[in-house]
Amino acid sequence: MHKLSNKARIAIFIVLGFVIFLISNRVDELRVYQGATVAVYVVGIASIILLTGYSGQVSLGQGALLGVGGYAAALARLHWGVSVPVSFAIAILAAAAAGALLGVAAARLSGPYLAGTTLALAVGLPSIANQFTFLGGEQGLFYDVGFPPASLGEDFTQYKWFFWIAALATLLAIFWLQNVMRSRYGRTWKAIRGSDIAAELAGINIARVKILAFTLSAGVAGLAGALLAMTIGTVSPSAFPLALSFSLLTGAVLSGVTTLGGVMIGAVTLVAIPEIVHSVVDRIGASEAVATNLPSLIVSALLIVTVIFVPNGPVEQMRTKSKKVKSL
Amino acid sequence: MKAFNRRKLVTASAMLAVTALTITTVPAQAFSPKSEVGVSANEIKLGITIPMTGAASPGYNKVPAAMKAYFDYVNANGGVNGRKITLVVKDDQYVPTQAVAKTNELILKDRVFALVSPLGTANNKAVAASVNPAKRGVPVLFVNTGFSGFADVKKYPTTYSLLPSYVMEAKIMAEYIKDNFAGKTIGLVYQDDDFGSDALAGFKTAGVKFATTVGYASGSQSATTAAGWVTKLKAANCDVVILFGVSSATAAGLGTAAALKYAPQWILGSVGGDATTIKAAGVPAGVLYNAVGASFLPSTTDTADEYVSLFSGIYAKAVPGSAFDNNVLVGMNSAFVTVQALQAAGKNPTRKSLIAAINSKGSTFASAGLLPLNYSASSHVGYNGYWFGKYSPTGDLKPDGGKYTLYTTDSGSGAVVKSTYKRPAMPAKGLPN
Amino acid sequence: MFQFINTLLIGITSGAIYALMALAIVLVWRSTRVINFAQAGQALASTYFGYQALQYIDSFWIALIIAMAGGAILSALIEVIFMRILLKHTTSGAIAGVAPIIATLGLLEIIRTLVTLKWGGADVIVKAPLSNTGFSIGSNTLVFSPMKLAIIAVVTVLLLVFSVIFQKTSIGLSLRASAFSPELARLAGIRVDRIRTLGWAFSGATGAVAGLLLVTNGNGSLSPASLEFSLLLISGFIAAVIGGLESLLGSVVGGVALGIITAFVLMYISDSLFFIAPFVVLLLVLFIRPQGVLGKKGGRRA
Amino acid sequence: MSLEVRNLTVNHGAITALSDISFTVPEGELVAIIGANGAGKSTLLRTLSGLKDASHGTATWKGHNLLSGKAETHVRQGVAHVSEGMSVIPELTVEENLDLGAIWRRNKSEAATTKAEVFDLFPRLQERINQSADTLSGGERQMLAIGRAMMSKPQLLLLDEPSLGLAPLLVKQIFDAISNISRQYGLSVVLVEQNAMGALKIASSGIVLNLGRVAMTGTSQELISDPAVQAAYLGY
């Protein structure tokens, strides 16, 4: 295991934050917006890594948990007028509560059952918004984060403000997640992932640990949901479609579910591929049908290739390779 | 050594992010500082987000080609003050997240002058909140939604709509029922979300009593669920049934009712009343026969109408083999109004001058609509009424008695009145000056 | 009373289609221990095969058989080209347990995209071979029509054929043995790989029938983006779970039960519970009888 | 017509499970393989029946190389393997389990004759012919497992711990049955057992495996009387 002292890790995160800050001042507004989207994906993907990579459970319905977070944040801000950080906290708590409920069910379910159940959840949950008028129905609710402070100047754009908030939240979330995974719980989860039976023999209460993993993962997903709601300014059922759940899962697999180290890879791929494909297609002048369908084809193919050839993700692959080299 | 490894990973991730973001950066096109974004010496660039793929796309995905067809016609005839209009089309798949992302691309990367005809309430709300075209001063011409919220000029000073609101539509429909089907037992099928609740509010204002109402969950409409609706409507002995939903719901309702030999007098809402989409969903035209439909544009088969005959000719040439239906007419009509707005914005149009032009001259713009456009500094809602007609055996909506009788009203508690408006003649060759 | 009968009939017909999908899911599950989420995509593609066949020949029933053959071949190819490599490569590691599930989701997307590229995104129409106009009793018209009767007949026949194959033939014995204990099956001389491919082929053919019947039960319109196919997958999965995931009879019981429950909830409670009702049914089953309605604790019977 | 194993080495990943094993099973003889848990006994049988790959060495049976080809082809060469722990399929009926054993045989009337022979051997199975295998007792299951193997009309029978988990009285019955079968049909049998005494009593010769290597070979009598074997495996 690579162990870094806490101090060194804090230093790295501060440097990383500073680098992001510098980048945000250099790139144009569209990149800043995409950066905020990447941050949302990073947090969403991290929530799946926490769940799947560290406790071996799968969720095909993470998008629904993002939805819970997004709606909670929007409602809190709309009806109670809480500050943005508080609305994030409420999003995390609400999603975590939903995750705990789901976790109780999940603890009784093995792989395929859990996959199907979470899939059904992803389809069913967003439609609840249409049942209750206070959730705003199909057109949804506004989630207003407010304008950037005047002290940042006239030219300071809304998206840069979103990006700063999202990046900061992401850095904190990832730092905290690393702590969790380095803790006793993290080790316990890994033990379970390896083998339920072995863990049970070691005296671990598997059901409780699984529920905890689901709860924490859902909390992180809730944060991602609030950040997503912030970047699009609204929450609505169609903002949390099944496709979102699939995208996050794809991103998690591309990143490698065993470690947080590659979490950027999946997020950047999801945002960059459609754009790269479009610019290539525009240049070679392929038909409209090809242009709209190619990105999903490429992303899905990447997903399958990754699952088959680098199931543990590129980062873990690199690590194993370098270990092998060292041991020679 | 090990510590270095972890650091390498983190840096690698960060580097990857930075490179990916920079690699994909397409250099912003150089515009001279004086000219407005999206306007060059020989081009005006417009953008649209609309579902081109996905479950919500059928019908709507014909709109961009229809708009392009008219713009190209104008371009071929000298363009707008010598500038050609180009339309950048982005597929939002009817997902708000996509709509925001694509609108950002349109504004920040493609650098369009204005947005035209973006579709969908949730999408337009998200775009309004996140992209905030109002703050950027970007005009959003003729949003394709009947959501009444966009009528708030203070909140959305750069947004305009063409469609009457759903509340208006419901109120007008209630009046039509009073005039034609007084004393009948009435049933309603509506989409159980705010699209439907706007309609319910309108019907309530108008005091319509329903024998039964069936609210379906958006996306659940199919022949199987519609069998349930029909069973309920039949049980309540409804003679007149209003289908106030999207086209696929209309199709499911009509098709299933025919199979169950249930033939009430149907009244279709404007959103779900597009005959081509209904027929594409498998409903024979005969089933549509005699259903009541509503529109503010002329009937698409009314070849005597100068707009219809001109537009259908242009469209047939531009998109051979595609049926000239209401979606096409709507698209070409908004393109037509857009061109007038651009012309009114002056020799060197700016976003500001465009808005000012619509606010001051918008009410005088010609359009295929059988009602006047009501644009002013305080109102950004276009049409305010409908005419009713019945579908022919081939599924074409034709006005009752061959004459367009137009009802108008507002989104509030105002009364419904018959309009006396007479549409002025079309500009020569359909090219406004 | 009439409303009650109609609701029951609505439930049974849609339940019969769910049952087919459940059957397809169970067939793959038993042979490979994988829930194949690409099944919805395969059913979609097979339905298009049937649609394509109808452009050349006039008979729906021949088109159905062509669709079944196409679905079987597609499914077998997926097993041979894709699942074998996948299962070989993901025997260990953190996501070994969930990798196949995730990969089949990717496959679902790929199939859907390819179908869109081949046949376009717009609706196409598959004409039903029989009238969808309901039978009449006096002045009342039932929801039940000749087409719906045919749907139930097809499902019944298919089920009978399957149970004869599974219970009475040595191929059926091979399929069951390979499902329950691949190692013993190999020791008994069964070429388990081939049998597994056969199981997938059966499943693909079943999914093809489910797809075509789904379309003809409705207005006959078919498009790649059709939400109904995604819902078919979820309903099929839930039906399979109700039936215990192992049992062919169970999946049929599960499908019909789900169809009837959903129909009654929509009719007597609210139409807007459409997406929630099946999910609640699933949760109830998982909590009350996780082994399924027909599943036995501990033991699994074919 | 004998089983010849030469220099067989089998690895489990990085661990060597069997190392340089050589032995011969003459035609019609019953050879017992004894050793402690983890000595590699089961691995040996799994390798011979094609369930596991060898890394090195040869194993030939009737001139066929047992180390190439899959398990499903071995059975066609007359090799039957009854794997460890009541190898029956509990979801199937008794008859289905038996039919399974003959499933690859083309001639179904011959298979029916074999089934009758199995019922002669284990009348209990005939009584329970339509019951599902999971209702059987431990001893009945073991009979069914052996019966299933017999259905393929084998000439080489590989038996893995047939006495495991059975009551002493049943153990004796099973060993008697194995001894009978071997004599009656002239079968070559490789019998892997922890119950060394029981196995050696019916075997003609024995092999002692220790930590993946052949520790000792000899006739059953030699092994039973060997003090080291007595101390380690026979519990004296």
Side-chain angles (χ1 to χ4, degrees):
Chain A
M1 275 309 292
H2 311 283
K3 280 273 174 186
L4 220 53
S5 77
N6 260 333
K7 261 189 200 159
R9 265 186 342 114
I10 292 172
I12 286 178
F13 273 86
I14 290 175
V15 170
L16 203 59
F18 188 67
V19 169
I20 291 172
F21 167 76
L22 288 181
I23 294 171
S24 76
N25 286 332
R26 287 197 55 97
V27 298
D28 65 29
E29 207 185 344
L30 183 63
R31 296 294 165 226
V32 171
Y33 164 76
Q34 288 172 335
T37 312
V38 168
V40 174
Y41 277 134
V42 165
V43 180
I45 289 170
S47 80
I48 293 184
I49 292 179
L50 176 68
L51 184 70
T52 306
Y54 282 75
S55 73
Q57 303 181 93
V58 69
S59 164
L60 308 186
Q62 209 71 357
L65 293 170
L66 263 76
V68 172
Y71 270 95
L75 286 171
R77 192 115 170 96
L78 214 58
H79 293 303
W80 304 331
V82 299
S83 68
V84 174
V86 174
S87 77
F88 283 0
I90 290 173
I92 293 170
L93 291 176
L101 281 178
L102 194 59
V104 172
R108 300 166 56 119
L109 305 177
S110 57
Y113 288 96
L114 183 57
T117 307
T118 49
L119 184 71
L121 179 77
V123 172
L125 197 67
S127 78
I128 286 185
N130 286 328
Q131 309 296 311
F132 304 102
T133 41
F134 75 98
L135 293 176
E138 193 65 31
Q139 53 181 241
L141 303 168
F142 284 114
Y143 176 53
D144 188 3
V145 175
F147 297 112
S151 57
L152 289 169
E154 273 284 294
D155 291 341
F156 196 87
T157 63
Q158 189 78 14
Y159 280 143
K160 205 193 253 185
W161 182 232
F162 286 173
F163 179 62
W164 279 16
I165 296 175
L168 185 64
T170 306
L171 284 175
L172 289 174
I174 299 290
F175 184 77
W176 177 77
L177 276 177
Q178 278 196 338
N179 281 349
V180 170
M181 291 179 177
R182 289 151 64 102
S183 73
R184 192 162 55 86
Y185 292 113
R187 290 196 299 273
T188 315
W189 288 333
K190 277 193 180 166
I192 290 185
R193 188 188 77 195
S195 153
D196 272 12
I197 300 157
E200 197 134 36
L201 289 177
I204 296 167
N205 182 338
I206 290 178
R208 222 173 59 198
V209 172
K210 280 190 169 176
I211 294 170
L212 185 66
F214 235 106
T215 310
L216 294 181
S217 158
V220 177
L223 176 63
L227 293 174
L228 178 69
M230 174 185 77
T231 57
I232 61 168
T234 52
V235 287
S236 61
S238 49
F240 304 98
L242 197 54
L244 175 66
S245 300
F246 288 180
S247 294
L248 291 175
L249 192 63
T250 305
V253 173
L254 296 183
S255 302
V257 294
T258 49
T259 163
L260 278 172
V263 68
M264 289 290 294
I265 299 172
V268 170
T269 309
L270 289 179
V271 175
I273 289 234
E275 197 171 339
I276 294 171
V277 170
H278 267 287
S279 59
V280 170
V281 165
D282 284 351
R283 242 159 259 176
I284 60 171
S287 80
E288 180 72 20
V290 173
T292 47
N293 288 304
L294 205 54
S296 75
L297 202 63
I298 290 178
V299 171
S300 308
L302 258 180
L303 170 71
I304 291 174
V305 169
T306 310
V307 166
I308 293 179
F309 296 105
V310 262
N312 290 335
V315 175
E316 191 69 28
Q317 188 84 358
M318 239 165 62
R319 207 178 271 173
T320 338
K321 247 188 204 152
S322 72
K323 246 188 222 163
K324 264 186 198 154
V325 171
K326 270 179 215 158
S327 67
L328 279 179
Chain B
M1 201 51 205
K2 281 176 178 176
F4 170 72
N5 219 344
R6 168 61 67 93
R7 198 168 305 154
K8 215 165 63 180
L9 287 174
V10 174
T11 352
S13 300
M15 292 291 286
L16 188 77
V18 179
T19 6
L21 285 176
T22 14
I23 284 172
T24 54
T25 306
V26 177
Q29 278 155 21
F31 285 100
S32 70
K34 271 183 203 162
S35 75
E36 179 62 289
V37 174
V39 180
S40 68
N42 45 22
E43 185 192 29
I44 299 177
K45 212 188 224 184
L46 304 173
I48 179 173
T49 57
I50 199 162
M52 297 298 287
T53 59
S57 64
Y60 298 132
N61 52 16
K62 292 173 83 172
V63 170
M67 294 177 73
K68 272 186 176 167
Y70 180 74
F71 287 143
D72 287 345
Y73 173 72
V74 171
N75 292 344
N77 286 283
V80 174
N81 290 323
R83 295 187 181 89
K84 299 209 181 309
I85 303 173
T86 49
L87 181 67
V88 186
V89 183
K90 301 267 179 186
D91 178 12
D92 64 22
Q93 297 168 320
Y94 211 63
V95 175
T97 324
Q98 289 294 323
V100 169
K102 304 291 180 182
T103 307
N104 274 322
E105 283 178 25
L106 285 175
I107 295 178
L108 299 169
K109 188 172 125 194
D110 299 306
R111 301 179 70 80
V112 298
F113 177 58
L115 303 170
V116 284
S117 296
L119 184 108
T121 303
N123 288 2
N124 274 303
K125 272 179 95 170
V127 167
S130 172
V131 185
N132 205 342
K135 192 163 178 254
R136 295 171 193 271
V138 177
V140 187
L141 304 185
F142 322 131
V143 289
N144 229 328
T145 159
F147 170 58
S148 47
F150 288 120
D152 186 343
V153 176
K154 277 211 190 80
K155 213 168 162 193
Y156 307 109
T158 63
T159 299
Y160 295 83
S161 68
L162 274 181
L163 307 189
S165 75
Y166 301 132
V167 179
M168 284 184 197
E169 185 175 346
K171 281 169 68 183
I172 291 172
M173 209 177 258
E175 186 72 14
Y176 179 82
I177 290 170
K178 241 181 254 167
D179 287 356
N180 295 279
F181 306 113
K184 302 270 186 182
T185 314
I186 302 164
L188 170 71
V189 178
Y190 64 99
Q191 188 159 308
D192 192 13
D193 59 22
D194 18 45
F195 165 34
S197 62
D198 266 14
L200 283 177
F203 286 123
K204 201 177 165 197
T205 311
V208 182
K209 293 265 177 291
F210 292 109
T212 188
T213 59
V214 179
Y216 70 90
S218 169
S220 73
Q221 62 274 19
S222 72
T224 310
T225 48
W229 313 344
V230 172
T231 307
K232 280 183 200 167
L233 293 167
K234 256 180 153 177
N237 294 315
C238 299
D239 315 312
V240 176
V241 174
I242 303 170
L243 285 179
F244 211 99
V246 293
S247 299
S248 52
T250 313
L254 291 179
T256 307
L260 296 179
K261 295 183 193 155
Y262 177 53
Q265 174 60 55
W266 296 105
I267 301 180
L268 312 183
S270 63
V271 171
D274 179 56
T276 351
T277 321
I278 296 171
K279 282 189 276 184
V283 177
V287 173
L288 259 176
Y289 179 46
N290 255 343
V292 169
S295 179
F296 49 82
L297 292 168
S299 165
T300 51
T301 51
D302 186 354
T303 42
D305 188 285
E306 42 188 357
Y307 283 96
V308 171
S309 84
L310 175 80
F311 286 171
S312 59
I314 294 172
Y315 187 69
K317 247 182 246 161
V319 193
S322 172
F324 183 78
D325 61 19
N326 211 44
N327 286 310
V328 175
L329 182 56
V330 165
M332 295 186 80
N333 185 47
S334 32
F336 179 78
V337 180
T338 303
V339 167
Q340 285 173 85
L342 291 173
Q343 263 163 351
K347 276 251 174 314
N348 287 306
T350 63
R351 287 167 170 172
K352 278 209 177 88
S353 75
L354 179 67
I355 305 245
I358 303 175
N359 284 351
S360 61
K361 297 181 210 151
S363 58
T364 66
F365 288 166
S367 88
L370 298 164
L371 289 149
L373 290 161
N374 293 300
Y375 297 128
S376 69
S378 60
S379 163
H380 285 185
V381 179
Y383 302 112
N384 62 355
Y386 282 99
W387 56 265
F388 289 90
K390 286 196 171 136
Y391 288 89
S392 72
T394 48
D396 302 310
L397 185 63
K398 295 191 166 154
D400 283 348
K403 237 182 77 203
Y404 297 110
T405 308
L406 290 139
Y407 295 82
T408 67
T409 188
D410 58 20
S411 293
S413 54
V416 180
V417 292
K418 283 197 178 116
S419 162
T420 53
Y421 175 75
K422 211 171 153 355
R423 189 181 70 188
M426 183 175 79
K429 288 171 73 188
L431 295 165
N433 282 305
Chain C
M1 187 58 201
F2 207 73
Q3 192 168 351
F4 180 86
I5 294 171
N6 263 336
T7 312
L8 194 65
L9 292 172
I10 294 170
I12 291 173
T13 322
S14 49
I17 296 171
Y18 300 161
L20 281 184
M21 198 62 185
L23 208 58
I25 288 172
V26 167
L27 283 169
V28 163
W29 169 253
R30 284 170 40 134
S31 79
T32 319
R33 299 282 132 187
V34 165
I35 296 289
N36 177 16
F37 286 106
Q39 209 107 48
Q42 291 168 234
L44 181 75
S46 314
T47 309
Y48 270 98
F49 295 158
Y51 159 76
Q52 193 68 48
L54 277 172
Q55 308 306 304
Y56 301 107
I57 46 164
D58 217 15
S59 160
F60 174 84
W61 303 109
I62 294 174
L64 179 70
I65 289 166
I66 292 173
M68 285 174 79
I73 292 168
L74 175 66
S75 189
L77 284 178
I78 287 173
E79 199 279 322
V80 171
I81 297 171
F82 177 75
M83 284 321 276
R84 283 193 195 172
I85 299 174
L86 181 71
L87 293 176
K88 204 157 86 191
H89 274 82
T90 55
T91 48
S92 66
I95 60 165
V98 295
I101 297 172
I102 295 171
T104 59
L105 282 175
L107 197 59
L108 170 66
E109 201 51 43
I110 287 182
I111 296 176
R112 221 193 319 237
T113 314
L114 291 178
V115 167
T116 312
L117 285 173
K118 170 75 182 77
W119 283 285
D123 279 305
V124 297
I125 301 293
V126 178
K127 211 173 132 17
L130 295 167
S131 159
N132 233 332
T133 304
F135 295 114
S136 291
I137 300 179
S139 62
N140 281 315
T141 304
L142 285 173
V143 169
F144 214 52
S145 63
M147 187 61 220
K148 288 189 166 49
L149 185 64
I151 287 174
I152 291 175
V154 168
V155 175
T156 314
V157 167
L158 210 60
L159 192 72
L160 285 176
V161 169
F162 270 136
S163 59
V164 168
I165 291 177
F166 269 79
Q167 298 297 338
K168 305 285 178 210
T169 67
S170 60
I171 284 190
L173 184 57
S174 304
L175 277 162
R176 285 184 294 153
S178 308
F180 295 129
S181 174
E183 186 173 297
L184 275 184
R186 290 176 64 195
L187 288 178
I190 295 170
R191 299 182 203 279
V192 173
D193 284 353
R194 287 187 211 171
I195 287 294
R196 181 174 293 153
T197 311
L198 187 68
W200 277 70
F202 277 160
S203 162
T206 313
V209 180
L212 262 179
L213 293 187
L214 177 77
V215 168
T216 42
N217 186 36
N219 286 335
S221 67
L222 167 67
S223 77
S226 163
L227 189 61
E228 282 186 56
F229 276 85
S230 306
L231 293 174
L232 180 65
L233 173 75
I234 289 168
S235 312
F237 172 78
I238 295 175
V241 170
I242 296 175
L245 260 191
E246 295 288 352
S247 150
L248 301 183
L249 182 63
S251 56
V252 174
V253 172
V256 174
L258 181 67
I260 292 175
I261 293 171
T262 317
F264 274 91
V265 167
L266 297 190
M267 180 67 70
Y268 290 100
I269 302 176
S270 167
D271 270 294
S272 38
L273 295 174
F274 183 79
F275 294 101
I276 299 292
F279 180 62
V280 173
V281 172
L282 173 67
L283 281 189
L284 285 178
V285 170
L286 287 175
F287 270 88
I288 298 165
R289 259 189 93 81
Q291 72 275 26
V293 173
L294 287 194
K296 269 195 288 183
K297 241 185 189 141
R300 299 169 308 224
R301 286 282 291 129
Chain D
M1 285 282 275
S2 59
L3 172 67
E4 299 275 349
V5 177
R6 292 287 164 263
N7 310 102
L8 181 66
T9 299
V10 179
N11 295 325
H12 282 309
I15 303 155
T16 303
L18 290 176
S19 167
D20 206 24
I21 304 279
S22 299
F23 64 90
T24 304
V25 178
E27 188 180 356
E29 294 223 358
L30 199 162
V31 174
I33 296 185
I34 59 175
N37 228 340
K41 306 189 299 289
S42 288
T43 307
L44 176 61
L45 290 198
R46 292 175 67 80
T47 310
L48 293 180
S49 66
L51 290 174
K52 184 140 184 52
D53 288 335
S55 352
H56 186 73
T58 60
T60 49
W61 160 253
K62 294 200 310 188
H64 291 284
N65 181 2
L66 288 183
L67 300 185
S68 75
K70 294 176 174 171
E72 46 264 49
T73 58
H74 284 38
V75 71
R76 290 167 171 75
Q77 314 299 342
V79 180
H81 179 185
V82 177
S83 56
E84 193 177 342
M86 329 280 177
S87 73
V88 300
I89 298 182
E91 288 87 352
L92 304 182
T93 64
V94 168
E95 186 166 31
E96 284 169 341
N97 266 289
L98 290 177
D99 289 344
L100 193 60
I103 203 159
W104 60 274
R105 290 171 68 179
R106 287 280 156 85
N107 192 328
K108 292 298 162 194
S109 65
E110 271 180 38
T113 319
T114 315
K115 194 161 27 173
E117 287 172 18
V118 171
F119 285 143
D120 282 346
L121 208 58
F122 302 114
R124 290 290 283 281
L125 296 182
Q126 185 151 32
E127 288 164 26
R128 302 183 188 279
I129 184 163
N130 286 320
Q131 287 184 17
S132 99
D134 65 349
T135 64
L136 299 186
S137 71
E140 288 164 345
R141 282 195 195 201
Q142 201 52 262
M143 290 173 198
L144 181 55
I146 295 170
R148 196 256 303 146
M150 295 303 296
M151 285 296 289
S152 66
K153 267 232 169 273
Q155 288 144 313
L156 173 63
L157 189 57
L158 309 173
L159 291 170
D160 198 348
E161 306 261 9
S163 76
L164 192 73
L166 297 184
L169 196 66
L170 281 169
V171 171
K172 191 176 167 338
Q173 276 184 24
I174 291 286
F175 279 142
D176 287 349
I178 294 167
S179 171
N180 276 338
I181 293 167
S182 169
R183 258 182 286 124
Q184 197 176 329
Y185 296 96
L187 277 184
S188 309
V189 178
V190 180
L191 173 63
V192 154
E193 260 302 339
Q194 292 239 50
N195 183 343
M197 186 50 118
L200 288 175
K201 269 187 182 159
I202 58 167
S204 58
S205 63
I207 297 162
V208 180
L209 279 188
N210 188 24
L211 297 174
R213 291 176 179 277
V214 176
M216 203 182 292
T217 55
T219 65
S220 297
Q221 269 319 309
E222 284 166 9
L223 291 177
I224 289 175
S225 51
D226 185 282
V229 174
Q230 283 177 356
Y233 305 106
L234 301 178
Y236 288 135

